[in-house]
Amino acid sequence: MLENTHIAELNVAYPKYDVNDRRFAGFVNNLERINALAERSPGFVWRLKDEVAGNAMDLQVDEDPALIPNLSVWETVEDLERFTFGTVHAQIYKLRENWFTPMQERHFVMWRVPVGYQPTLEEAMTKLAQINTDGPSDDVFGWEAMTNLKLWMEKRCA
């Protein structure tokens, strides 16, 4: 890891159901709990959220109101990995196909940001487009670039 940098991550998803649909309740009912867990996790720095709702469910991505973003900053990739695959978040993650439509393109990207920097959703979407167009690089990458990490390999995250 480069000194004076943190890791930003964006993942996006298309829900199969309306937020009030009972079939989506398993996700919606756990959202506040998982977000609170993230904020208490070692290495957590910041996450994008609507100040009223406390989450990003209502934040519009580009011109696509159906796409749900999750944008956060972590001190290290290892911290993000521990939260993603080493907490109760992993149990929720395993159920994602119950609630979200599988995407043909990458839905997850990481990149380095200066310490103290909060990326914008527009910037994050540009990073996602970059990895989808050009593939992983030193600038944008996914879990596959983190060959020293083990939890994601065991869980086979996209």
Side-chain angles (χ1 to χ4, degrees):
M1 177 61 56
L2 299 174
E3 288 187 38
N4 300 318
T5 63
H6 284 160
I7 291 295
E9 70 80 27
L10 170 72
N11 65 81
V12 295
Y14 283 105
K16 290 181 177 180
Y17 312 105
D18 179 76
V19 69
N20 296 315
D21 191 304
R22 64 175 179 76
R23 294 170 292 181
F24 200 40
F27 176 79
V28 173
N29 293 343
N30 281 290
L31 190 57
E32 187 176 328
R33 177 173 70 116
I34 297 301
N35 284 338
L37 174 62
E39 291 179 352
R40 290 190 314 270
S41 293
F44 173 84
V45 175
W46 171 86
R47 72 180 174 88
L48 179 68
K49 60 184 173 181
D50 175 301
E51 292 305 320
V52 175
N55 61 55
M57 294 269 299
D58 292 330
L59 298 178
Q60 188 167 338
V61 177
D62 296 329
E63 301 296 318
D64 193 343
L67 193 63
I68 297 174
N70 178 26
L71 174 59
S72 63
V73 176
W74 296 79
E75 289 179 8
T76 67
V77 175
E78 292 82 2
D79 292 327
L80 175 59
E81 181 201 35
R82 269 190 300 280
F83 164 72
T84 303
F85 302 112
T87 69
V88 69
H89 175 276
Q91 295 170 0
I92 301 298
Y93 180 79
K94 284 181 192 176
L95 300 172
R96 69 191 177 280
E97 290 181 6
N98 293 341
W99 305 308
F100 297 100
T101 303
M103 297 179 70
Q104 299 303 311
E105 293 188 309
R106 287 176 176 261
H107 63 276
F108 174 77
V109 64
M110 294 184 280
W111 68 100
R112 290 175 185 82
V113 296
V115 170
Y117 182 76
Q118 295 177 353
T120 66
L121 187 51
E122 180 179 82
E123 173 189 356
M125 291 301 293
T126 299
K127 298 293 186 182
L128 184 61
Q130 181 181 345
I131 198 169
N132 275 309
T133 301
D134 302 330
S137 67
D138 289 341
D139 294 329
V140 293
F141 46 90
W143 294 113
E144 73 280 355
M146 305 291 110
T147 57
N148 61 313
L149 301 181
K150 303 297 179 219
L151 285 175
W152 82 267
M153 287 185 208
E154 293 168 6
K155 305 298 181 186
R156 290 294 175 220
C157 176

